[in-house]
Amino acid sequence: MKNLLHRIPMSRKFMLALALPLLVLLWLAGSGILERQQFASNMADMQRLTDLAYASGSAGP
């Protein structure tokens, strides 16, 4: 393993050192985006149900 690290060019070593943090950053960003999309969808459903409740309560006898 030690010989392998000595044979790899410095630019490759630099890319290997940055690969894991970048993958973690992309994963966290993606999960955050998906979570916010789900939250927005839930809020849209809540708005529709609120409008329905308001409309059914306003209809009256």
Side-chain angles (χ1 to χ4, degrees):
M1 182 72 172
K2 193 174 183 181
N3 286 336
L4 178 65
L5 290 176
H6 286 290
R7 288 185 293 170
I8 296 175
M10 190 61 159
S11 60
R12 294 278 170 105
K13 289 177 188 175
F14 189 66
M15 286 191 299
L16 285 172
L18 292 178
L20 183 61
L22 286 175
L23 288 174
V24 170
L25 180 68
L26 289 173
W27 183 79
L28 289 173
S31 66
I33 289 169
L34 292 176
E35 184 178 327
R36 288 180 185 196
Q37 284 179 339
Q38 183 64 39
F39 183 76
S41 176
N42 289 344
M43 289 297 109
D45 290 343
M46 181 71 76
Q47 181 65 45
R48 278 191 300 249
L49 291 172
T50 304
D51 292 342
L52 178 63
Y54 181 77
S56 64
S58 302

